[in-house]
Amino acid sequence: MSSENLQVLLAERPVGWVEPRHFTLQRAPVPSPGEGEVLVRNRWLSLDPYMRGRMSDAKSYAEPVALGAVMVGGTAGEVVESRDPALRPGDKVVGMLGWQRFGCVPARALMKVDDSRVPLQAWLGPLGMPGVTAWYGLNRICEPQPGQTVVVTAASGAVGSVVGQLAKARGCRVVGVAGGAAKCDYVRGELGFDACVDYKAGRLGEDLKAALPDGADCLFENVGGEIFDRLLGLMRPFGRIALCGMISDYNATEPYAMRNVRAVLVQRLKMQGFIVSEHMELWPQALRELGAMAAAGSLRWRESVAEGLERAPEAFIDMLRGGNFGKQLVRVD
Ligand SMILES: NC(=O)c1ccc[n+]([C@@H]2O[C@H](COP(=O)([O-])OP(=O)(O)OC[C@H]3O[C@@H](n4cnc5c(N)ncnc54)[C@H](OP(=O)(O)O)[C@@H]3O)[C@@H](O)[C@H]2O)c1
């Protein structure tokens, strides 16, 4: 067992784009668990867009990471030492231990997982927070009926890829929007979407209209900005919009100025933002359904893996720019 902890700390709050200098790497002693606590060795760290918000102290739904503190993050790993009878050394667990090799938390803050049928890191992706996000937004906000059209942005990503597959399983026509031909080929060919618009191809307006000739009943929005604005103008009457994320704005110093908000009124649309961690009571149901699909081979996903915690900052920045292809992870050595 490595005898030291490695941690990535928030060094400075970014204004605009995140840069490597906003993080520092620190070596520290391995912590010891107190009564009721568990020492975990993290094997996987999840990198997620929400972390950009936590680096900033602007008003938000969650507290920012303090300067000099370990960056927040979902992790999957194994119990090394336990001072709670609920967990034993060797148990595989997911939790929020942050960007570090080792962490100590109360046992109740961890979820024990089974990695015998899916790889451990799947509990950070399709069978974790991103999967539940897709499930919640689609089932509780979009509520598509068979035969209706669902459009999802950032379609090849951790959340978007699950949204589209869930919607296909409900008998919907599914259109994705993604950056680049390779991602669109994957979304159509491997994930089984009916169509995918490459927003980087330079014909966004025409291509969205061609893919949605009768408009969309449901929009699962991950991106914001011009794509969202144009899709608003393509919604059918009484359409539903799950406002999940606006990643195109996360590093912007000025938010994108929307032009088509009038469509919400004219088409009598319902739009709702949501935060998946505020719906913990639904996670067991969502994970059961996603797990059943994974076991049946009807849920597909891919991963982008950065090797080593030292690479976490650059992998995070790359993901915010769309450099990831599927769930962005760090293999913690
Ligand atoms: N509300 C919630 O509770 C909740 C929970 C989880 C995630 N989210 C949100 O869901 C969204 C997707 O998260 P994820 O974890 O699944 O990430 P992801 O889709 O795996 O990765 C982010 C993707 O965003 C796309 N992107 C980045 N900048 C863009 C831009 N300027 N224009 C268009 N697309 C851009 C890139 O894909 P392309 O190459 O296709 O552009 C990139 O691969 C994020 O907005 C995130 O904040 C919300």
Side-chain angles (χ1 to χ4, degrees):
M1 176 172 110
S2 172
S3 57
E4 66 174 5
N5 201 359
L6 187 64
Q7 303 174 310
V8 181
L9 315 179
L10 177 63
E12 207 182 307
R13 299 204 187 281
V15 177
W17 273 95
V18 186
E19 293 175 31
R21 69 185 167 84
H22 297 125
F23 304 93
T24 43
L25 207 62
Q26 169 174 283
R27 291 177 197 280
V30 175
S32 296
E35 191 56 39
E37 286 191 338
V38 175
L39 172 67
V40 180
R41 183 181 175 127
N42 294 324
R43 295 293 176 188
W44 296 93
L45 166 69
S46 172
L47 293 179
D48 297 274
Y50 75 83
M51 294 165 174
R52 175 62 186 86
R54 302 291 177 88
M55 296 177 77
S56 155
D57 57 8
K59 186 171 181 296
S60 185
Y61 61 91
E63 285 297 308
V65 175
L67 286 175
V70 175
M71 276 293 295
V72 65
T75 48
E78 70 216 9
V79 173
V80 176
E81 192 183 337
S82 176
R83 297 192 61 194
D84 186 303
L87 289 170
R88 289 190 306 188
D91 283 347
K92 302 295 190 311
V93 289
V94 295
M96 293 290 296
L97 277 70
W99 297 26
Q100 57 182 343
R101 189 183 281 153
F102 291 97
C104 271
V105 287
R108 64 177 183 281
L110 295 166
M111 181 172 84
K112 188 172 163 180
V113 296
D114 177 3
D115 66 341
S116 62
R117 280 182 292 181
V118 289
L120 180 59
Q121 69 273 22
W123 294 99
L124 298 175
L127 303 185
M129 186 276 282
V132 179
T133 301
W135 185 97
Y136 183 87
L138 189 76
N139 289 317
R140 295 299 165 120
I141 300 176
C142 291
E143 299 184 285
Q145 300 302 309
Q148 292 192 328
T149 297
V150 175
V151 58
V152 52
T153 55
S156 73
V159 174
S161 59
V162 177
V163 171
Q165 293 178 87
L166 288 173
K168 281 304 294 177
R170 288 178 76 133
C172 298
R173 175 168 187 271
V174 181
V175 175
V177 181
K183 287 187 176 179
C184 273
D185 286 349
Y186 167 73
V187 163
R188 275 188 307 260
E190 300 228 6
L191 301 181
F193 287 35
D194 298 282
C196 185
V197 170
D198 171 7
Y199 73 88
K200 292 184 174 166
R203 305 174 301 269
L204 182 60
E206 299 99 290
D207 289 351
L208 287 176
K209 279 187 197 142
L212 296 164
D214 302 315
D217 300 286
C218 301
L219 164 58
F220 193 108
E221 183 54 48
N222 285 319
V223 162
E226 185 188 352
I227 299 172
F228 177 34
D229 207 14
R230 287 186 182 273
L231 286 171
L232 269 185
L234 292 172
M235 294 301 291
R236 288 165 59 81
F238 302 103
R240 284 86 61 202
I241 300 169
L243 192 44
C244 174
M246 304 190 81
I247 194 169
S248 69
D249 261 2
Y250 294 173
N251 290 284
T253 42
E254 284 294 323
Y256 180 85
M258 300 286 288
R259 301 166 62 112
N260 279 328
V261 178
R262 186 168 171 269
V264 177
L265 170 64
V266 174
Q267 300 291 58
R268 290 86 81 210
L269 306 177
K270 183 179 94 171
M271 174 156 71
Q272 191 180 335
F274 70 101
I275 301 298
V276 69
S277 53
E278 291 177 347
H279 304 282
M280 296 309 292
E281 74 289 356
L282 291 169
W283 282 50
Q285 183 187 349
L287 289 178
R288 256 194 319 276
E289 291 182 26
L290 292 163
M293 282 177 76
S298 56
L299 185 61
R300 304 177 76 110
W301 66 88
R302 50 177 292 163
E303 298 166 349
S304 286
V305 178
E307 299 292 340
L309 260 184
E310 297 87 342
R311 296 229 161 86
E314 71 186 66
F316 176 61
I317 295 165
D318 199 38
M319 177 197 62
L320 291 172
R321 294 189 185 279
N324 62 313
F325 194 161
K327 174 68 207 146
Q328 181 66 58
L329 295 160
V330 177
R331 196 193 315 264
V332 182
D333 49 2

